[in-house]
Amino acid sequence: MRILITGASGMLGSALAFELSKKHQVFATGRSDFVTHLKYKSFDLSNSNYKPLVEWSNPQIIIHCAAITDAEFCEANSLEAIKINALSVKKLIQYVNEKVKIIYISSDAVFNLINNKSKEKDYTNPNNVYGKTKEIGEFFMLNSSRSNVIIVRTTIVGINFYRRGNSLVEWIISSVNSKRTITLFNDVIFNPISIWDLIKELDFLINCETIDFKILHVSGNQNCSKYFFGVELLKALKLNLDYIQEGSIKDNIKIANRRRDQSIDCSLYQKKFNRKLPSIKGTIDSIKKNFRNEKRY
Ligand SMILES: NC(=O)c1ccc[n+]([C@@H]2O[C@H](COP(=O)([O-])OP(=O)(O)OC[C@H]3O[C@@H](n4cnc5c(N)ncnc54)[C@H](OP(=O)(O)O)[C@@H]3O)[C@@H](O)[C@H]2O)c1
């Protein structure tokens, strides 16, 4: 199958393009120039004309991973964030024919402070600009008359091997390696999935003939605190635990309005598609398996 992957210079997109290229014809795109053996086109999604991208890739499937993921940058640059995280979805839908399956990677950030274990049908009401832009992206998918559009909400953890990133895992590892003490909250809960396990689920969804759901929650099947996750990750990678400090979000006034329970309920996906999503241990094992102890971390 011909698959267009956006955000292919990013953490999820680069690993996804690499894995799917083993079985499919992958056309990868990101904003920056990116050295890869894959077919790659640098394309800024803020462009008004997507014809060059669509004509180059002529996709049967699009997996839309591109986004501005830096929540603080989104707060300060909301118009740019809307263009990339939301309007790009509208343009992709406009530019490709009805037969093209589109999978939009969305986030638990579409839910608000008081939601927890949110289900697909639950009301979204994000409390930051990043979440709002992802919610608007979802709006374009939900309001499309197409039957083959899928929103995958997830909470990914992983490493960008192609260039330095600032994801949770990379931040924990780089802090410990540079002997910098960091605080992880014992009262912020999430249910992460590794990018490599999510890729397996995306590969499964690509091959599903019909999907009767427009929104699916696909993440880990177990919750834990960020502190627990950090400690278990360092233990698994045999890294020093001395630089991880346990803290509470309540003591951090600056980010006090951040969501404490970021977990999303993935039971619908597991039940309807007979899939078993990973536990916390499974997610950490997957990071360990894929971890390369490169100096840059
Ligand atoms: N990371 C998380 O914790 C998390 C959690 C839940 C959901 N998600 C969702 O998962 C997806 C992948 O996240 P990620 O962590 O892999 O992201 P990432 O590492 O920050 O990568 C973002 C990608 O988007 C591209 N991009 C940004 N602005 C662009 C523009 N103007 N034109 C074209 N491409 C542009 C970037 O290209 P350049 O780098 O080349 O500029 C990069 O390839 C996103 O949709 C995100 O919302 C992420």
Side-chain angles (χ1 to χ4, degrees), residues 95-114:
Y95 273 87
V96 296
N97 71 50
E98 293 275 329
K99 289 189 195 136
V100 179
K101 186 191 258 189
I102 304 177
I103 300 178
Y104 172 57
I105 306 299
S106 190
S107 166
D108 59 271
V110 297
F111 294 108
N112 70 12
L113 287 174
I114 52 165

Side-chain angles (χ1 to χ4, degrees), residues 2-6 53-54 57-65 92-93 95-96 100-105 141 146 148 150 206:
R2 291 173 69 95
I3 305 179
L4 172 64
I5 298 176
T6 70
L53 182 66
V54 169
S57 53
N58 187 21
Q60 293 166 292
I61 297 177
I62 298 175
I63 308 182
H64 189 25
C65 304
L92 284 172
I93 292 172
Y95 273 87
V96 296
V100 179
K101 186 191 258 189
I102 304 177
I103 300 178
Y104 172 57
I105 306 299
M141 295 284 282
R146 295 165 179 241
N148 51 359
I150 308 154
I206 285 170

Side-chain angles (χ1 to χ4, degrees), residues 6-13 29-33 40 43-46 64-69 80 84 104-108 130 134 154-157 160 163 167:
T6 70
S9 48
M11 180 174 78
L12 173 63
T29 181
R31 179 177 41 188
S32 51
D33 282 328
Y40 182 85
F43 183 83
D44 191 329
L45 291 167
S46 64
H64 189 25
C65 304
I68 298 178
T69 53
E80 200 179 330
I84 306 311
Y104 172 57
I105 306 299
S106 190
S107 166
D108 59 271
Y130 169 68
K134 297 300 286 187
T154 186
T155 305
I156 44 173
V157 284
N160 187 337
R163 64 157 180 242
S167 70

Side-chain angles (χ1 to χ4, degrees), residues 110 146 157 174 187 246 293:
V110 297
R146 295 165 179 241
V157 284
S174 68
D187 48 2
E246 184 172 6
N293 199 0

